[in-house]
């Protein structure tokens, strides 16, 4: 009993990978959270071009896992993939640091945009391969722990999976919080060379720690079996389907002889035992196939059946983009003073999302889940799809609050006599805190739920693809957000600058209309999500979603 209780905690390999994931987020947020400022102040880009660059870079960063995952699942070793991608990530950060150093030494204070774009591309490429591979490698460690626990109940294993993903997200959020707060202060106070050198050193530390764990990792060797290469199975299935439609293949003499020999070897008696043995073997083979890698047709069906839920999550991802863009723009037009000499940087309010996740995650695990278990009589408390739905609903509430706050700010703004465009309104920036905190709470439900959902719904050998589907939601959401803004701005600006929802003068902009539009589309997606969930059947064995 004591041994069983002892094994309920995370293994050394899982804990180490969670720390590594936190370091990676620290390095990424240390660069990404303030990248717009660097592009405008150092690279001398316009605000619109800088925002477009960051959005495009972010979108490609989140989308790349979708393209790298098939190779990572079918052909690449996960350990070597993580090592190679993190090294590429490190080289990109070195290049980015050099652009800041070169800019500080240049007499014109300008940098090479070609070198800058190359460095950002290396960071995006390394990150796009590293993130899903790292989490899939962590899931391999978790699977090994679960397989060797000999737990009689699948409920216990399901709870341990949820526990792993919650702590994984906790580590990611802790790194993100330090990256947003500490690095933003260092970059503003001590300059960009040190501000980029520290994330670069963090990536070097990540590589060192990852190599230190060689002795405790569990390595999943896919071998040469085609079952271990699901995407190759998809290609083989499509190739076979095309071949069958183009021609009819007749059985040759060799196949007929093999069939005859097989029939001759089968006994004509003990039919019941034979049938029983054959049936057991068939079921075992099917079970093994489902675990190690679906057939081509089943794999395609699996990806297609996840597509509706993946699509409904896009509106959540669009709302997820607002804190770094228009929420910050709101804060710029509000009262930010604390005392006579200090002004709150609006971008630092993004840290309240991460801080709320860190503070409320233990409350979710220790208070909410036990209460849900008693109410629902379910050992897991809140099912994965219910968890994602709750987060989607909270994100809608957050964007509605954002619309109401923006409407209040505009009403006050119109009553004031402006001395200059974009001067601060008397409404305090702390009015934005509820929408930030609610988005943090919604992350606890939806983001962690998405990780566990895609983890559970794909075959073991497609696990990297499962996590790539999760990250691609935010990549596509970033592109959708950018496209939506472009379409709305093009339409509203054609009616006159006073009707432009995204006017530079915040007293004329109508961000509240944009927030209401997001709330409406998100509500429609949420209702469709509920309908889809009622007809969705989990493919994971022993799942209790």
């Amino acid at each position: 009993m004591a041994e069983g209780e002892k094994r309920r905690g995370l293994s050394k390999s899982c804990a180490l990978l969670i720390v590594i994931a936190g370091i990676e987020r620290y390095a990424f947020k240390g660069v990404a959270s303030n990248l717009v400022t660097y592009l405008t102040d150092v690279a001398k880009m316009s605000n619109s071009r800088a925002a477009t660059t960051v959005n495009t870079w972010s979108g490609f960063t989140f989308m790349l896992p979708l393209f790298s995952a098939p190779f990572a699942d079918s052909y690449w070793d996960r350990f070597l993939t993580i090592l190679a991608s993190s090294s590429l990530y490190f080289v990109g950060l070195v290049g980015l640091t050099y652009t800041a150093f070169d800019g500080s030494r240049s007499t014109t204070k300008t940098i090479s945009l070609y070198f800058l774009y190359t460095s950002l591309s290396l960071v995006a490429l390394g990150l796009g391969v590293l993130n899903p591979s790292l989490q899939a490698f962590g899931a391999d460690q978790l699977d090994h722990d679960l397989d060797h626990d000999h737990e009689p109940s699948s409920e216990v294993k399901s709870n341990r999976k949820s526990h792993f993903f919650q702590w994984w997200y906790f580590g990611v959020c802790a790194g993100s919080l330090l990256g947003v707060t500490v690095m933003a202060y260092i970059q503003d106070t001590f300059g960009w060379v040190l501000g980029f050198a520290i994330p670069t050193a963090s990536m070097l530390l990540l590589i060192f720690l990852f190599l230190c764990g060689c002795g405790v990792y569990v390595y999943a060797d896919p071998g040469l079996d085609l079952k271990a290469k699901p995407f190759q199975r998809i290609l083989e299935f499509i190739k076979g389907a095309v071949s069958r439609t183009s021609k009819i293949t007749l059985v040759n003499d060799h196949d007929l002889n093999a069939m005859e020999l097989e029939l001759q070897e089968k006994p004509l008696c003990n039919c019941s035992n034979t049938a029983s043995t054959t049936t057991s073997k068939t079921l075992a083979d099917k079970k093994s196939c489902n675990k190690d890698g679906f057939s081509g047709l089943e794999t395609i069906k699996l990806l297609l059946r996840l597509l509706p839920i993946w699509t409904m999550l896009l509106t959540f991802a669009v709302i997820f983009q607002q804190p770094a863009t228009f929420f910050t723009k709101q804060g710029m037009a509000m009262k930010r003073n604390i005392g006579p000499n200090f002004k709150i940087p609006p971008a630092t309010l993004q840290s309240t999302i991460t801080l709320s996740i860190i503070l409320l995650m233990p409350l979710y695990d220790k208070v909410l889940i036990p209460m849900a278990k008693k109410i629902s009589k379910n050992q897991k408390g809140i099912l994965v799809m219910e968890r994602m739905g709750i987060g989607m609903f909270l994100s809608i509430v957050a964007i509605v609050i954002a619309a109401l706050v923006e409407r209040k700010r505009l009403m006050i703004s119109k009553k004031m006599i402006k001395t200059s465009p974009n001067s601060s309104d008397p409404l305090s920036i702390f009015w934005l805190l509820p929408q930030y905190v609610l988005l943090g709470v919604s992350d606890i439900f939806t983001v962690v739920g998405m990780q566990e959902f895609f983890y559970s719904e794909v075959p073991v050998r497609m696990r990297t693809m499962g996590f790539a589907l999760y990250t691609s939601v935010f990549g596509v959401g970033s592109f959708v957000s950018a496209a939506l803004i472009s379409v709305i701005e093009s339409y509203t600006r054609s009616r006159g600058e006073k009707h432009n929802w995204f006017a530079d003068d915040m007293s004329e902009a109508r961000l509240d209309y944009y927030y209401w539009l997001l709330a409406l589309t998100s509500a429609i997606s949420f209702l469709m999500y509920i309908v889809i969930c009622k007809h969705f059947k989990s493919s994971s064995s022993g799942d209790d979603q």
Side-chain angles (χ1 to χ4, degrees):
M1 180 70 180
E3 183 181 356
E5 291 296 327
K6 185 178 179 180
R7 292 189 63 87
R8 290 179 186 274
L10 294 175
S11 64
K12 291 181 180 179
S13 57
C14 287
L16 178 60
L17 291 174
I18 289 174
V19 172
I20 289 174
I23 295 175
E24 186 281 317
R25 284 293 91 183
Y26 172 79
F28 176 74
K29 288 293 184 180
V31 172
S33 62
N34 217 13
L35 184 58
V36 171
T37 307
Y38 177 73
L39 295 180
T40 54
D41 293 353
V42 180
K44 307 302 180 183
M45 292 186 183
S46 64
N47 289 336
S48 60
R49 185 181 179 186
T52 302
T53 301
V54 172
N55 283 333
T56 305
W57 177 70
S58 177
F60 277 114
T61 299
F62 284 114
M63 282 295 294
L64 277 173
L66 202 58
F67 301 99
S68 65
F71 299 97
D73 277 325
S74 298
Y75 304 104
W76 299 342
D77 176 77
R78 280 178 185 155
F79 178 85
L80 295 179
T81 300
I82 294 171
L83 188 60
S85 58
S86 58
S87 300
L88 194 64
Y89 196 158
F90 171 73
V91 172
L93 289 178
V94 170
L96 194 61
T97 305
Y98 178 77
T99 62
F101 177 75
D102 187 50
S104 65
R105 290 170 56 89
S106 174
T107 55
T108 59
K109 301 298 181 182
T110 58
I111 62 175
S112 170
L113 292 182
Y114 175 79
F115 197 81
L116 173 64
Y117 287 144
T118 302
S119 301
L120 290 176
S121 298
L122 290 176
V123 172
L125 184 60
L127 178 60
V129 178
L130 173 63
N131 256 350
S133 299
L134 184 62
Q135 197 162 8
F137 193 61
D140 288 341
Q141 317 306 308
L142 176 64
D143 281 346
H144 179 268
D145 294 343
L146 295 178
D147 291 341
H148 288 74
D149 271 353
H150 305 292
E151 295 285 358
S153 173
S154 62
E155 305 288 350
V156 176
K157 294 186 177 182
S158 180
N159 288 338
R160 288 198 61 192
K161 283 195 293 184
S162 297
H163 184 66
F164 167 76
F165 286 110
Q166 286 169 10
W167 276 107
W168 185 279
Y169 197 54
F170 181 86
V172 166
C173 289
S176 299
L177 178 63
L178 291 175
V180 170
T181 54
V182 175
M183 293 313 305
Y185 173 78
I186 291 175
Q187 288 161 358
D188 290 344
T189 307
F190 301 102
W192 293 101
V193 177
L194 183 62
F196 285 154
I198 293 177
T200 305
S202 300
M203 277 305 300
L204 187 62
L205 175 63
L206 182 151
I207 296 172
F208 174 75
L209 289 178
F210 182 70
L211 291 175
C212 287
C214 290
V216 298
Y217 296 141
V218 175
Y219 302 92
D221 183 15
L224 299 176
D225 188 4
L226 193 61
K227 288 182 179 180
K229 300 180 179 182
F231 286 92
Q232 188 172 337
R233 292 176 65 85
I234 293 177
L235 295 177
E236 292 293 333
F237 171 77
I238 296 174
K239 182 179 178 180
V242 172
S243 177
R244 284 193 297 271
T245 56
S246 61
K247 62 180 181 178
I248 300 176
T249 304
L250 297 178
V251 179
N252 55 34
D253 293 338
H254 177 75
D255 291 335
L256 289 174
N257 293 333
M259 291 172 62
E260 184 178 356
L261 288 172
E262 184 179 357
L263 289 173
Q264 289 175 357
E265 291 175 357
K266 289 185 178 180
L268 298 177
C269 57
N270 296 329
C271 295
S272 60
N273 293 337
T274 303
S276 176
T277 304
T278 304
T279 303
S280 300
K281 184 177 180 181
T282 302
L283 291 175
D285 290 343
K286 292 176 71 175
K287 183 178 180 181
S288 176
C289 180
N290 286 338
K291 182 178 180 181
D292 295 334
F294 286 9
S295 67
L297 178 61
E298 289 172 333
T299 305
I300 294 175
K301 286 182 177 179
L302 182 142
L303 294 177
L304 290 177
R305 68 193 290 273
L306 295 179
L307 184 61
I309 291 180
W310 182 92
T311 305
M312 294 305 104
L313 291 168
L314 289 178
T315 53
F316 173 82
V318 173
I319 294 178
F320 192 82
Q321 305 297 322
Q322 304 313 307
T325 53
F326 291 124
F327 282 9
T328 301
K329 192 67 176 176
Q330 273 184 286
M332 288 293 293
M334 301 174 78
K335 185 179 180 180
R336 299 182 284 128
N337 298 77
I338 296 182
N341 299 320
F342 182 74
K343 279 190 175 183
I344 300 175
T348 59
L349 285 186
Q350 298 176 40
S351 63
T352 59
I353 296 178
T354 308
L355 189 61
S356 62
I357 294 172
I358 294 175
L359 295 178
L360 296 177
M361 184 75 81
L363 185 67
Y364 172 89
D365 196 29
K366 301 298 183 182
V367 178
L368 183 60
I369 292 299
M371 290 177 57
K373 287 180 180 179
K374 292 181 180 180
I375 296 174
S376 63
K377 306 298 182 182
N378 186 296
Q379 288 298 320
K380 195 170 184 180
I382 300 176
L383 306 183
V384 174
M385 300 189 75
E386 293 175 348
R387 181 173 187 164
M388 292 191 294
I390 293 172
M392 292 173 68
F393 176 77
L394 290 177
S395 69
I396 297 172
V397 176
I399 206 68
V400 168
I401 292 176
L404 294 174
V405 171
E406 176 63 10
R407 178 60 181 168
K408 182 179 180 65
R409 186 194 67 80
L410 285 173
M411 291 175 62
I412 296 175
S413 175
K414 292 184 183 298
K415 293 179 181 179
M416 294 182 60
I417 300 175
K418 295 290 187 178
T419 58
S420 63
N422 294 325
S423 60
S424 297
D425 297 320
L427 191 64
S428 172
I429 194 174
F430 291 110
W431 279 82
L432 300 180
L433 283 179
Q435 63 203 55
Y436 277 99
V437 173
L438 268 177
L439 279 182
V441 178
S442 71
D443 276 11
I444 295 176
F445 287 92
T446 300
V447 176
V448 180
M450 287 168 60
Q451 292 175 344
E452 185 175 351
F453 173 76
F454 289 114
Y455 163 89
S456 302
E457 290 301 323
V458 298
V460 173
R461 297 302 181 187
M462 287 181 64
R463 187 149 292 158
T464 308
M465 184 62 180
F467 293 124
L469 288 172
Y470 148 70
T471 58
S472 66
V473 170
F474 298 99
V476 176
S478 180
F479 287 126
V480 170
S481 178
L484 187 62
I485 292 171
S486 298
V487 171
I488 293 174
E489 184 175 26
S490 177
Y491 173 73
T492 56
R493 179 177 286 180
S494 65
R495 301 172 57 196
E497 189 62 30
K498 288 188 176 181
H499 298 281
N500 186 4
W501 289 8
F502 309 118
D504 292 335
D505 186 353
M506 289 300 291
S507 64
E508 299 293 339
R510 297 311 304 258
L511 292 180
D512 55 331
Y513 289 170
Y514 178 64
Y515 293 155
W516 284 118
L517 178 62
L518 291 184
L520 177 62
T521 55
S522 298
I524 295 173
S525 294
F526 177 65
L527 294 176
M528 294 178 65
Y529 174 82
I530 294 176
V531 174
I532 292 172
C533 288
K534 288 184 179 296
H535 298 87
F536 184 85
K537 293 183 180 179
S538 174
S539 63
S540 56
S541 60
D543 187 56
D544 56 351
Q545 291 182 50

